[in-house]
Amino acid sequence: MGKIRVLFAKTEAGMGHIVPLTSIKETFEKEHGDEFEIIFSNFFVDSKNKDLLRFNDLLINEVKKANKSHAYGFASTTLMNIAGTKLSSRFVMKWKERGVYKASLEYLEDLKPDVVVSSHFSTNYYAEHMKDKPLTVVYSPDVQIIKLFSYKSDVTLTPVECGYQKALKKRRFNPENLKLVDTCIKNEAINNKLSKEEAAKELGIDSSKFTVCVADGGYGIGRALGILNECMKLNLDLNLIIVCGKNEEMYNQLLKIKEQNKTNVKIYPVSFKNYSLNYIISADLFCGKAGANAIAEAVYFGKPVIVTGCATQVELDNYKYYSKVVGCAVHISKAKKIVEKILELKNNKEEFERMSKNALSIHENFGSKKASDEIYKLIKEKLIQKNTKNEK
């Protein structure tokens, strides 16, 4: 018998899905790579199937639309909640785009996985509908497990205690199929030991100036330009790092603004290909929407957070956790008010230190080892021990 095939099925629907799966895969491969055949697939892209590529674009565009119009984002999650898990899942993954359901199952059959690990509801759904169903593990990256992530799987992994306890009250979940793990962020974040000053020096940023990192997510859609305009209007003496993601148009626009800038604001536009965690480490303060990954990385490094927007109910739940439970975030949506809060935190050391200390209070609750361990436990129980008994 050959090695057990473990498929990590990546989905391009925002970094909140890509980062945790990559992190879990890296840790699992490091610890158990010699025992299993590990496959890492960009699921809707690698097959080059036109139906899957179209669905990939659909997922990306849904993220963009929710960030452009928060009303659209909240309406989508509200309808999903009304329809429930089964109907919502069937509509999104089977009915919405013709050909995707069949093409996904055919691609999975070609890959022949014994185990499918997902951080997006779609790939978990398709794995569950294979003729010879593999073991399925899904990591839900947000604070609360939404309806689409509540679809059946052998094990669902969730990273926050309050979300875990709430999910256990649902009929779908129990302590056997729901496991509490840590928040999975980039492994390079866990291994990064640079100080704020060291990270700033590597990037050529003056660490003596108050530094704000703005990363609005949603493919560069958000309030970054509005925040920049307000800072320039007030001629503030600070560094402003603006992470543009995959929005090349915005990145090029910022380069022109930087070239013509005559204010005290130091502008640092960052493209997707040039981004590194050092930009967050070098900052004093983080501004961004309430996506699971962006906030988690900032909080891991002890940065107070200004949430600039919540595109869906999911992101609102994320914000409420970091605000009310952890105590390191505030939500301000208008650029002028955001800049006022930046100045308040810059000048009010007591409030700044309180928020930073609260962020660091959950510093140990990050990393992908627990998630990797739960995957291994499931495989050992359901496949390795079963195969050993059959051989006897």
Side-chain angles (χ1 to χ4, degrees), residues 13 21 34 36 79 132 142 181 188 190 192 197 199 205 209 211 214 263 313 333 351 364 375 388:
L21 188 77
D34 58 335
F36 307 108
L79 287 172
D132 296 317
D142 298 292
V181 296
E188 64 187 272
I190 306 297
N192 195 316
E197 292 73 22
I205 295 174
K209 278 192 174 189
T211 302
V214 181
T263 71
Q313 181 62 48
S333 58
E351 184 182 5
E364 300 303 318
I375 295 168
T388 302

Side-chain angles (χ1 to χ4, degrees), residues 41-56:
S41 170
N42 190 347
F43 190 80
F44 296 107
V45 175
D46 287 351
S47 71
K48 296 182 171 53
N49 178 282
K50 60 181 177 58
D51 292 319
L52 298 189
L53 288 169
R54 189 177 70 253
F55 191 66
N56 186 71

